[in-house]
Amino acid sequence: MDDDPLSPGLYIVATPIGNLGDLSPRAADVLRRADLIAAEDSRVTAKLLRHIGAKTPMTPYHDHNGERVRPELIARMKGHAVALVTDAGTPLVSDPGYKLVRDARAAGHAITTLPGPCAAIAALTLAGLPSDRFLFAGFLPAKASARDSAIAELASIRATLILYESGPRLGATLAALAGRLGAREAAVAREISKAFEQCVTGSLADLAARYAETPPKGEIVILVGPPGEADAPATEDVETMLREALARLGPSQAASEVSKITGQPKRDLYARALKLQEDDG
Ligand code: SAM
């Protein structure tokens, strides 16, 4: 750490998700020495800068102005150090940033990442669910039908699922997950690294019941354990569903319907539907 200017380019800086003590010394150093900080919300980042005694100029960079300001930021990186931060955690993870990195890369600028807090990874370390394979799916869609389709797509994935959610929608999301994914182990991690950090574990149905009436406050990560062998529908059951659907629909539509129910890939089900038609025909 010194007072020399940073070399020009883009610096991706992870910031705390609650506890300011989680800002790394290297991140603080880059935020102090950068020529400009592109911040999702400058009021939020101003608090962080006060905490480390930095007076670095900021410019807003978020989903609503990104298209307009990105070319200016890319131009600035030619001779200056531009740091990117979001309100909390790691930029680009359910947060703005990937297009800035893409364009900085295309322009040939140096890109440096300063790793640090990320709610998804922190929640994974709290939950006690299998962590060898996990899939981060961000926020599910708000509308029930789009949310159910998204859950159906995730159903057959053999990995722990990690989702971001807000308190008011938690109960409905857990109920939808329980309805589609069955009796899986799950966890709700809340307010990580803050005073009221909590991680509640149980089956999806238990958690759905617990949060049905009383939406919790604060920021939330949902984790769902991978499907057990017992959760996968038996081959005969899938064939019964396909036969029943084939009585009403063509093979492509039948495969699509059963894929939505079971979460199995449509392409596999289509092949099985054609085979069933051949065998039965
Ligand atoms: N980029 C951030 C990261 O690295 O985690 C995530 C940004 S996303 C817009 C915000 C969501 O992250 C919140 O709605 C919540 O689901 C989750 N989150 C952020 N801070 C959290 C915390 N302290 N505890 C639990 N979840 C948190």
Side-chain angles (χ1 to χ4, degrees):
M1 286 180 220
D2 53 40
D3 293 330
D4 292 346
L6 289 172
S7 47
L10 175 62
Y11 294 77
I12 309 297
V13 183
T15 60
I17 56 169
N19 190 324
L20 291 181
D22 292 338
L23 186 76
S24 76
R26 184 170 166 239
D29 181 52
V30 164
L31 293 180
R32 276 195 207 97
R33 289 165 63 205
D35 297 299
L36 181 67
I37 299 174
E40 187 181 11
D41 182 339
S42 41
R43 288 162 306 180
V44 174
T45 301
K47 283 190 206 144
L48 186 66
L49 295 190
R50 267 199 301 281
H51 174 70
I52 59 169
K55 298 211 163 67
T56 313
M58 286 186 275
T59 190
Y61 181 77
H62 46 68
D63 287 340
H64 307 293
N65 74 351
E67 293 299 319
R68 183 168 55 79
V69 303
R70 204 175 307 122
E72 296 161 27
L73 286 173
I74 298 293
R76 284 291 290 273
M77 287 169 207
K78 196 164 182 340
H80 297 90
V82 177
L84 173 71
V85 298
T86 52
D87 290 353
T90 301
L92 284 82
V93 178
S94 284
D95 261 344
Y98 102 82
K99 291 179 179 167
L100 194 64
V101 174
R102 178 195 64 190
D103 291 1
R105 206 162 271 297
H109 296 315
I111 301 168
T112 306
T113 191
L114 286 90
C118 174
I121 300 298
L124 185 68
T125 66
L126 281 173
L129 292 168
S131 55
D132 53 337
R133 271 164 68 87
F134 57 87
L135 181 108
F136 172 66
F139 290 93
L140 290 175
K143 283 204 179 131
S145 58
R147 183 190 60 204
D148 289 350
S149 307
I151 296 174
E153 271 178 31
L154 297 171
S156 61
I157 292 169
R158 304 212 152 265
T160 290
L161 306 175
I162 307 179
L163 302 163
Y164 285 162
E165 193 47 285
S166 67
R169 290 203 335 222
L170 179 66
T173 299
L174 286 169
L177 287 165
R180 283 272 173 180
L181 305 183
R184 294 206 204 166
E185 285 304 301
V188 171
R190 213 162 61 79
E191 296 288 86
I192 299 168
S193 80
K194 302 185 195 178
F196 297 103
E197 175 176 306
Q198 184 191 43
C199 183
V200 180
T201 58
S203 70
L204 272 175
D206 289 347
L207 292 175
R210 177 182 174 130
Y211 292 110
E213 300 301 328
T214 43
K217 291 204 171 65
E219 307 209 79
I220 289 159
V221 182
I222 301 174
L223 302 102
V224 184
E229 290 306 322
D231 297 335
T235 311
E236 311 83 73
D237 292 343
V238 175
E239 289 196 352
T240 307
M241 281 186 235
L242 269 176
R243 276 208 174 85
E244 190 278 322
L246 281 168
R248 294 178 282 112
L249 306 163
S252 171
Q253 281 173 303
S256 176
E257 183 177 288
V258 176
S259 168
K260 278 198 183 126
I261 297 167
T262 62
Q264 296 191 357
K266 187 182 161 194
R267 199 185 314 146
D268 297 355
L269 292 167
Y270 180 64
R272 280 159 83 176
L274 291 181
K275 174 125 195 355
L276 280 179
Q277 273 191 329
E278 215 178 279
D279 293 351
D280 294 353

